[in-house]
Amino acid sequence: MNVLLLLLILSSLLGVVFMAVALPVVPPWLAAILLTGFGGFLVATFLALRGKKAGYWVGLVLAVLVLLVSFPDPDHQIFLRTGRILESTILIVGNILQVAYIAAFIQQTIRRKQTSAEKIT
C-alpha cells in the first residue's frame, strides 16, 4: 500500500471520529459543510483504492482546504488553550495528516517526473 493511500484512509477514519464529535454540537449549516468534506474524503479514498489517480488529486485539494479552514480558526485554538483533549487531538492529528499528505504528494510527483525524464534520455 502506498503512503498516499494510507494517509487518505487514515484521514477518512479520523473523519469518522471527527463527525461523531462535531455533528452533535455544530449548527445545521456547518454540519452540512462538514459532511460534504467528509464525503469528499470518502470519495477520494474510494477512488484511490480503485487505482484512480483522480482520488489522489481530490485528496490534495481536500488536504489544502482542511489546512486553510481548520488551523487558523479561533474556535479551534480555544480547544488547544482550554485543554480539550479529544478536540485538540483531532485537530492536531488531522492537520498532521494533511501536511503529510501534501508533502508525500509533492514528493511522489517529483519522483514520477524524474523517473519519466530518465526514461526519455
Side-chain angles (χ1 to χ4, degrees):
M1 179 178 306
N2 74 46
V3 172
L4 289 175
L5 179 56
L6 178 62
L7 291 168
L8 279 175
I9 291 169
L10 291 173
S11 291
S12 293
L13 292 174
L14 183 62
V16 172
V17 176
F18 174 65
M19 289 294 114
V21 171
L23 290 181
V25 296
V26 299
W29 65 268
L30 183 53
I33 293 169
L34 295 176
L35 284 167
T36 301
F38 177 58
F41 272 102
L42 293 177
V43 167
T45 303
F46 177 75
L47 288 170
L49 281 167
R50 304 223 357 131
K52 307 292 183 188
K53 289 182 182 179
Y56 297 109
W57 284 96
V58 171
L60 178 66
V61 170
L62 290 169
V64 170
L65 288 174
V66 164
L67 290 174
L68 288 174
V69 170
S70 73
F71 198 69
D73 188 324
D75 291 333
H76 295 164
Q77 302 303 317
I78 290 171
F79 298 152
L80 299 169
R81 280 188 252 122
T82 59
R84 294 177 66 176
I85 294 174
L86 179 58
E87 294 88 346
S88 296
T89 302
I90 292 169
L91 175 67
I92 292 166
V93 171
N95 284 330
I96 289 170
L97 285 172
Q98 303 323 304
V99 169
Y101 185 87
I102 293 167
F105 187 94
I106 291 168
Q107 181 182 26
Q108 191 173 44
T109 301
I110 291 169
R111 188 176 303 134
R112 197 171 335 139
K113 288 185 185 223
Q114 289 173 342
T115 304
S116 296
E118 289 171 2
K119 287 181 182 178
I120 293 172
T121 57

